[in-house]
Amino acid sequence: MLNQISNGRQTPEAAMAGRQQVYSVCGMCSVRCPIVVEVEDGKAVRIEGNPKSPLKGSLCARGAAGIALEMDTERPQRPLIRVGERGEGTWREASWDEALDYVAGKLKDITAAHGGRSVLFSDRGGPFVDLHQAFMRGLGSPNYCNHDSACARNVQHAAKSVMGIGRKEVVYDYRNCKHLVLQTRNILEAINVAEANAVLDGMEKGCKLSVVDIRATYTAGKADNFYMVRPGSDLAFNLAVIHVLINEGLYNKPYVEAHVQDLDALARHVATCTPQWAEGETGVPAAAITALARQLAEAAPNVIWHPGWMVARYDDSFHVCRTAYIINALLGSIGAKGGLPIANKPGDVGRKGLKKLVDLYPAPEEKRADGVGWRHTQFDGGPGLINLAYDAIATGDPYPVKAYICYRHDPLMAMPDAEAMKRKWEGLDLLVSVTFSWSDTAWHSDVVLPLSTYLSRESIIASKGGLKPQFFVRKRAMQPTLDTKADWEILCGLARRLGMDKLAFDRIEDIWEYQLQPTGVTMADFDAKGFVELCDAPRYREDAELKFATSSGKLEMISPKWTKAGEPSLRPYAAPPAPPQGMFRIAFGRTALHTQGHTVNNPLLAEQMPTNVAWINTARAAELGIADGELLEVLDARGTAAGRIRAFVTDFVHPEALFMVHGFGHRLPVESRARGKGVADQDLMPGGLERYDRAGGGISMQEHFVAVRKAAARA
Amino acid sequence: MSTYCIVTDERRCISCKACEVHCKVKNAMPVGIKLGEHFTEGPVPGPNGAPLYRTLYMPCFHCEQPECVDVCPTGAMTKREADGIVHVVADDCIGCGACLEACPWHIPQWNEDGDKAVKCDLCMDRIDAGLKPACVTGCTTHALALVGQDDPRYEEQRKRAPQRVLAER
Ligand code: SF4
Ligand code: SF4
Ligand code: SF4
């Protein structure tokens, strides 16, 4: 089979079907599963999970629907430069040269007037950000951010505060686990394909599953224990579990002796947090909480109490995550096989890591505009807190921020209160979106640079830590069907125009070669499987090898870093306020069929799930005279309606909560399938951009109340 | 009876619907047509009142005495001798729609694109190439399996599935 794809290879089956197979990496969500793309006559025709990876062919619905994204013309088709007002949707089409010249020209003017630091960049994190960070360093700006204050920042900071290392520096060893607790982690709907399989494999081997949630997710449907907690009361639940572990002497004494600092303070902190007390707060029977603690102690250290992923939810989410790590610490599961073993980096298995593109330029000495690292000393400098960077745009404090590049990131949909955000952005002289789909943010931008889909672009080589660390690479399975470009083509193209010659690569092969220099790995090594494992067997560490990157070298119940920042490590529980009469607390979550808002217009996924529904507890629905399937209007706390949605009436959602899947309620005229379908939870959070967990940095998106009324009543 | 049958392991199925999407992509089916359909019921109270979801993926049953084949005037709907796979020979289909009416489970679908009947053929091209059906290979959690008559799940699926489907439709 001859076509333009240089990296394609063939299997007997594919050859029989006249197809080429290209190993690559999915881009439909942020997990980046290993895939194999079947290509016929230069076009991708089918995708499955990489059969040589742990996925063994499996791939979720979004991954399966990837080709529909490439073939969809309802996405930015060529570079666009705004001609009307921001958000008006009037554009002129531009060639790539013209668009890149335009952006580079603006960036030159802005940095000449306000310095490199006046440029802000945000993405959605992940394994390919080295290139983005290098670009920002080349500009001399410290203001690289990601989306994480609307996602996992609270977990990340909780991990740092207890273990001194980040959340991804431990592995969840599901296959060897005996009891898994999922709290704010809907692992079978917010899916990572390899992880979902590992969890189910573990359960087949006898692992018990306990789920703490405000509603019966598909995950809860498989649980041995399901605890439907009052929304916002997770901390009380966790403190009671800690209380039982300590008071009944169930914790792992030798481990705690060796690795835990300040157990006494923790014991004092939970002295009055009895299961009876927690029953009053959470609605979960005291006996059930006690029984769970005992079950966990029996399974220890092969226990995972998952600290969560998307935990930008409550004002105390940081402390919920912290207590999750603390429970793991008491059970001795941090570092243990079947618990949370330490992830290995290339150096841990005697190999060399990739050469970093950021190292092309010196780290900027400038302080971050979002105040992270100097005003807010407990937070991680890496990706900062994007919402606080917007304050700098609005106020010029600590200095003017005048240009903003959003890469594959749609803050207007990902964070609360789009109108407030747009007002802050009025201070920008340049707003650029690099995107493969339309988004509220792209629509509001000055320049839209259309990114090729993951099927028609390459990415830089990525490094992934784990029990068996590996390198992996995304290859181009087909040429773009629209006038789009790869991330490296866009950023290196801008780099060239800005005189950042070291980053002005012409060919992806040159970038790959640069990255691989120290590693002893060559591109040919990726041919066999699409990824390169850096050791043969999973490497677990012995207990004696455990040393944590905290100031004490132990797992810290009290973190000096947080104390210094004026944040108590052991915060007393404060009960969440009940919703006002007739109202609900907004709650949102995920489905396996969509990735936030950016797949809702995909023809195949829109067919599967065109809209969202509002979960309402049966008793509350009866009070309000609402029937299952009835069309409702949802109103925010000010009484503003945010669109129409059908009621899903069930006993299996907490009476105080109104739950909906995030990502719906699109309004853009360019998205015919997504437009006008369902309700956007983030539209129901007025003032929500200002409400964040001061200790952990996550935005508190479930600290808002909403009301519903029958849609017909207004007509 | 067909030699094979696709079974759903409810303990693994997570109702993610990837099976449907993998089928549609493999068979290039337009929006509106599903050759295999996935059903989820729930949450319903399980034992101890804990929530439960019932799930089932339903491709064609490949019946022993397929009514769709019986009514087809041209022989386009045909049962493959070797392994009992019931499939449409597209060139012979005149688009009369008789099979759509005849199948008790509404398995054959109308494809406006070509005005012909289409249905699950167990991905016989893949089976013939030594591969599994697209839905089975792609299933997110390996909840689906293609089993033969000697597998205990074969009988169970054939007894259980039709009742479940009737209850849903
Ligand atoms: S792909 Fe598998 S897990 Fe998902 S719904 Fe279908 S059968 Fe169930
Ligand atoms: S289409 Fe219907 S009648 Fe024909 S084989 Fe399948 S299930 Fe049986
Ligand atoms: S066997 Fe093939 S045609 Fe039948 S449902 Fe599965 S993927 Fe579709």
Side-chain angles (χ1 to χ4, degrees):
Chain A
M1 283 309 99
L2 285 180
N3 61 30
Q4 75 274 39
I5 295 158
S6 56
N7 49 44
R9 38 172 305 289
Q10 293 217 326
T11 65
E13 300 87 1
M16 214 176 331
R19 286 176 183 177
Q20 243 185 343
Q21 299 204 328
V22 181
Y23 288 129
S24 191
V25 180
C26 187
M28 293 294 284
C29 80
S30 51
V31 172
R32 281 114 182 157
C33 289
I35 55 173
V36 60
V37 185
E38 287 181 10
V39 181
E40 200 171 82
D41 299 330
K43 272 205 179 129
V45 290
R46 204 181 77 86
I47 308 173
E48 64 179 49
N50 183 339
K52 304 215 170 130
S53 77
L55 269 55
K56 298 198 193 93
S58 60
L59 195 65
C60 83
R62 296 162 299 170
I67 297 163
L69 166 68
E70 177 66 53
M71 303 317 290
D72 189 7
T73 52
E74 289 191 1
R75 55 187 174 105
Q77 304 209 13
R78 55 189 61 80
L80 299 169
I81 298 173
R82 176 171 67 83
V83 290
E85 292 300 307
R86 271 197 190 141
E88 204 180 81
T90 39
W91 314 92
R92 75 183 160 86
E93 296 183 343
S95 70
W96 273 101
D97 270 337
E98 194 186 350
L100 294 179
D101 285 346
Y102 180 87
V103 172
K106 285 271 184 188
L107 285 174
K108 271 187 198 155
D109 293 347
I110 290 168
T111 53
H114 303 284
R117 66 185 188 178
S118 63
V119 183
L120 173 68
F121 187 104
S122 70
D123 60 28
R124 297 219 316 277
F128 304 120
V129 299
D130 184 27
L131 179 68
H132 310 166
Q133 291 168 333
F135 180 77
M136 290 301 282
R137 274 208 190 168
L139 284 172
S141 172
N143 295 313
Y144 164 81
C145 281
N146 70 20
H147 73 306
D148 212 34
S149 58
C151 192
R153 271 300 90 180
N154 283 325
V155 200
Q156 173 68 9
H157 288 136
K160 287 258 168 136
S161 76
V162 174
M163 308 187 293
I165 51 177
R167 67 186 180 105
K168 292 182 183 163
E169 294 181 60
V170 291
V171 175
Y172 304 116
D173 192 9
Y174 303 111
R175 282 200 174 81
N176 296 305
C177 178
K178 293 195 183 128
H179 199 138
L180 168 63
V181 182
L182 298 173
Q183 181 175 41
T184 325
R185 178 73 190 96
N186 185 5
I187 215 160
L188 301 180
E189 286 186 87
I191 48 174
N192 165 328
V193 176
E195 183 177 62
N197 277 291
V199 167
L200 293 164
D201 289 353
M203 288 173 69
E204 273 183 18
K205 278 171 60 186
C207 177
K208 267 193 189 314
L209 175 65
S210 294
V211 171
V212 185
D213 209 322
I214 59 137
R215 67 172 184 123
T217 58
Y218 287 142
T219 311
K222 299 212 186 299
D224 299 281
N225 304 314
F226 171 53
Y227 310 99
M228 195 158 80
V229 290
R230 180 172 176 235
S233 71
D234 295 77
L235 185 58
F237 188 94
N238 295 9
L239 291 173
V241 169
I242 297 172
H243 174 96
V244 177
L245 291 176
I246 294 180
N247 275 47
E248 296 193 4
L250 296 173
Y251 61 94
N252 185 330
K253 294 187 189 81
Y255 179 95
V256 167
E257 180 73 18
H259 300 301
V260 172
Q261 181 83 357
D262 290 324
L263 179 73
D264 298 353
L266 178 68
R268 280 196 302 278
H269 181 63
V270 298
T272 56
C273 301
T274 62
Q276 287 71 23
W277 163 79
E279 175 174 335
E281 299 297 333
T282 63
V284 177
I289 298 174
T290 306
L292 174 64
R294 291 176 185 160
Q295 286 175 22
L296 294 176
E298 236 167 76
N302 307 120
V303 172
I304 300 171
W305 186 300
H306 202 294
W309 184 357
M310 198 305 178
V311 285
R313 295 183 188 268
Y314 302 109
D315 286 341
D316 66 358
S317 285
F318 166 76
H319 287 281
V320 176
C321 302
R322 243 183 88 74
T323 48
Y325 284 111
I326 288 173
I327 293 169
N328 285 307
L330 293 176
L331 294 166
S333 67
I334 299 178
K337 182 172 179 176
L340 290 80
I342 309 296
N344 299 308
K345 299 186 175 120
D348 298 320
V349 295
R351 301 288 294 264
K352 289 256 164 37
L354 298 172
K355 185 166 172 176
K356 291 194 156 185
L357 291 160
V358 276
D359 293 338
L360 289 169
Y361 299 100
E365 277 161 23
E366 199 67 60
K367 296 184 290 194
R368 293 184 62 96
D370 55 15
V372 169
W374 57 280
R375 201 176 266 164
H376 310 287
T377 51
Q378 76 273 38
F379 297 143
D380 265 8
L385 294 174
I386 186 69
N387 46 317
L388 300 187
Y390 298 160
D391 291 340
I393 298 173
T395 61
D397 172 30
Y399 48 75
V401 173
K402 291 290 175 190
Y404 179 23
I405 303 172
C406 273
Y407 174 87
R408 256 181 111 259
H409 181 204
D410 184 8
L412 288 176
M413 181 157 246
M415 292 195 281
D417 207 338
E419 291 315 310
M421 213 179 312
K422 287 176 189 170
R423 279 195 298 276
K424 293 187 185 192
W425 290 356
E426 280 169 13
L428 291 170
D429 294 339
L430 179 68
L431 175 54
V432 180
S433 267
V434 182
T435 180
F436 61 78
S437 58
W438 273 113
S439 69
D440 290 350
T441 304
W443 194 251
H444 197 73
S445 295
D446 303 332
V447 182
V448 178
L449 299 178
L451 181 66
S452 297
T453 75
Y454 67 97
L455 292 171
S456 54
R457 74 171 187 263
E458 309 83 355
S459 296
I460 64 170
I461 300 171
S463 181
K464 187 165 145 199
L467 294 170
K468 280 163 89 173
Q470 59 163 247
F471 298 147
F472 63 93
V473 66
R474 170 181 285 143
K475 293 207 174 161
R476 190 181 293 226
M478 62 184 285
Q479 294 304 335
T481 46
L482 302 175
D483 191 11
T484 58
K485 282 204 186 297
D487 45 1
W488 67 270
E489 291 172 312
I490 295 170
L491 290 180
C492 295
L494 287 174
R496 172 169 318 287
R497 287 167 172 83
L498 290 162
M500 290 154 50
D501 291 344
K502 282 187 277 188
L503 197 60
F505 291 94
D506 286 323
R507 297 167 0 118
I508 188 69
E509 289 80 5
D510 296 339
I511 301 182
W512 290 339
E513 196 181 306
Y514 168 92
Q515 292 184 282
L516 288 176
Q517 270 170 37
T519 64
V521 172
T522 67
M523 281 318 289
D525 297 333
F526 290 90
D527 287 349
K529 298 199 287 194
F531 54 94
V532 174
E533 285 167 312
L534 301 179
C535 60
D536 297 330
R539 177 177 179 253
Y540 292 94
R541 296 181 206 204
E542 298 297 327
D543 186 73
E545 288 176 84
L546 291 183
K547 186 162 186 320
F548 296 94
T550 53
S551 54
S552 62
K554 294 188 174 191
L555 298 165
E556 295 187 332
M557 305 301 101
I558 295 179
S559 164
K561 196 171 181 187
W562 263 256
T563 307
K564 193 169 149 246
E567 288 293 340
S569 297
L570 298 169
R571 199 181 99 165
Y573 178 71
Q581 180 68 28
M583 296 183 84
F584 298 82
R585 184 179 286 270
I586 187 74
F588 57 86
R590 290 282 309 276
T591 165
L593 280 160
H594 287 295
T595 302
Q596 326 300 7
H598 79 70
T599 57
V600 177
N601 203 50
N602 178 302
L604 288 178
L605 298 173
E607 177 184 22
Q608 288 290 339
M609 184 176 179
T611 186
N612 56 357
V613 295
W615 288 48
I616 298 185
N617 179 275
T618 313
R620 295 294 311 277
E623 253 170 48
L624 297 165
I626 291 167
D628 187 38
E630 196 157 354
L631 196 59
L632 304 177
E633 269 184 330
V634 190
L635 298 93
D636 70 17
R638 299 168 311 192
T640 309
R644 295 169 170 222
I645 189 167
R646 292 208 180 270
F648 174 66
V649 176
T650 172
D651 291 342
F652 289 108
V653 60
H654 194 280
E656 287 187 8
L658 185 87
F659 171 86
M660 60 184 72
V661 168
H662 175 73
F664 291 88
H666 290 219
R667 298 200 181 90
L668 300 183
V670 277
E671 293 185 308
S672 67
R673 304 164 209 109
R675 188 184 195 188
K677 306 275 172 61
V679 166
D681 58 88
Q682 74 278 6
D683 284 352
L684 294 159
M685 305 166 181
L689 208 49
E690 312 305 324
R691 183 123 187 204
Y692 72 100
D693 184 331
R694 295 303 198 260
I699 299 176
S700 307
M701 296 201 252
Q702 291 191 176
E703 298 285 8
H704 299 271
F705 298 118
V706 297
V708 293
R709 65 176 175 221
K710 298 186 188 205
R714 200 187 54 160
Chain B
M1 204 184 276
S2 147
T3 311
Y4 317 103
C5 161
I6 291 174
V7 296
T8 312
D9 181 348
E10 279 193 283
R11 289 165 310 170
R12 290 194 76 98
C13 175
I14 59 169
S15 296
C16 70
K17 315 288 182 193
C19 41
E20 292 188 2
V21 179
H22 281 290
C23 173
K24 293 196 62 147
V25 172
K26 187 274 169 184
N27 293 300
M29 283 296 130
V31 167
I33 297 186
K34 292 176 178 178
L35 302 187
E37 198 169 352
H38 184 280
F39 296 93
T40 300
E41 183 197 358
V44 292
N48 325 325
L52 198 69
Y53 290 88
R54 301 300 312 279
T55 66
L56 175 73
Y57 183 57
M58 203 190 76
C60 169
F61 291 106
H62 300 273
C63 302
E64 193 162 7
Q65 283 168 342
E67 294 177 38
C68 58
V69 173
D70 291 349
V71 299
C72 178
T74 67
M77 187 68 82
T78 181
K79 185 167 159 178
R80 187 157 89 159
E81 207 49 48
D83 52 13
I85 290 177
V86 179
H87 63 107
V88 186
V89 180
D91 285 348
D92 296 344
C93 178
I94 54 168
C96 71
C99 55
L100 276 72
E101 298 295 317
C103 171
W105 325 112
H106 308 295
I107 295 285
Q109 307 273 305
W110 187 254
N111 190 357
E112 279 178 24
D113 182 12
D115 276 343
K116 295 199 190 279
V118 286
K119 72 176 281 296
C120 160
D121 65 356
L122 271 184
C123 292
M124 53 197 261
D125 53 342
R126 286 179 59 87
I127 288 186
D128 293 346
L131 301 168
K132 290 178 187 151
C135 54
V136 173
T137 300
C139 166
T140 305
T141 58
H142 302 286
L144 298 181
L146 180 73
V147 299
Q149 279 168 344
D150 48 351
D151 191 298
R153 289 172 291 174
Y154 182 96
E155 265 316 303
E156 194 196 310
Q157 171 84 2
R158 278 169 177 276
K159 279 205 215 99
R160 183 176 77 90
Q163 294 162 9
R164 289 275 309 283
V165 172
L166 276 188
E168 300 269 352
R169 280 192 172 176

